């Protein structure tokens, strides 16, 4: 079993990561908007905290737009 946290709040992510049980983070633009941060910058900061999988959603409604957004997100971190 893997444990993922669904948030964009860096303090929450740091706290759970400090427990040594966090496998990854799922987040989306709506959660990021609550933090008042640029989505790509926030994803980059999450990647700096978490040594695991990061799932970041796109907002486009068409396949071409989704792929374009996903490619930008994929370049943020290995």
């Amino acid at each position: 079993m893997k444990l993922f946290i669904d948030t964009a709040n860096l303090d929450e992510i740091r706290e759970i990561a400090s427990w040594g049980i966090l496998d990854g983070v799922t987040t989306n633009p709506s959660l990021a908007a609550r933090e008042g941060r640029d989505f790509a910058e926030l994803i980059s900061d999450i990647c700096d905290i978490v040594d695991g999988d990061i799932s970041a959603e796109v907002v486009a409604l068409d396949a071409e737009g989704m792929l374009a957004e996903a490619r930008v997100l994929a370049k943020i971190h290995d």
Side-chain angles (χ1 to χ4, degrees):
M1 178 172 59
K2 289 188 173 189
L3 178 67
F4 284 69
I5 187 172
D6 186 26
T7 187
N9 183 281
L10 296 178
D11 291 333
E12 291 175 356
I13 296 167
R14 282 187 196 99
E15 173 69 22
I16 302 302
S18 75
W19 298 353
I21 61 171
L22 186 62
D23 293 303
V25 175
T26 62
T27 193
N28 61 56
S30 296
L31 293 172
R34 293 181 196 161
E35 301 303 314
R37 301 268 319 271
D38 175 76
F39 191 53
E41 290 176 10
L42 187 59
I43 296 302
S44 179
D45 288 345
I46 291 170
C47 290
D48 290 340
I49 298 168
V50 178
D51 183 23
D53 296 326
I54 310 297
S55 174
E57 296 179 17
V58 298
V59 295
L61 300 177
D62 63 300
E64 185 176 318
M66 289 177 188
L67 289 171
E69 287 181 42
R71 288 183 181 110
V72 169
L73 293 173
K75 290 179 183 179
I76 294 173
H77 194 273
D78 292 336

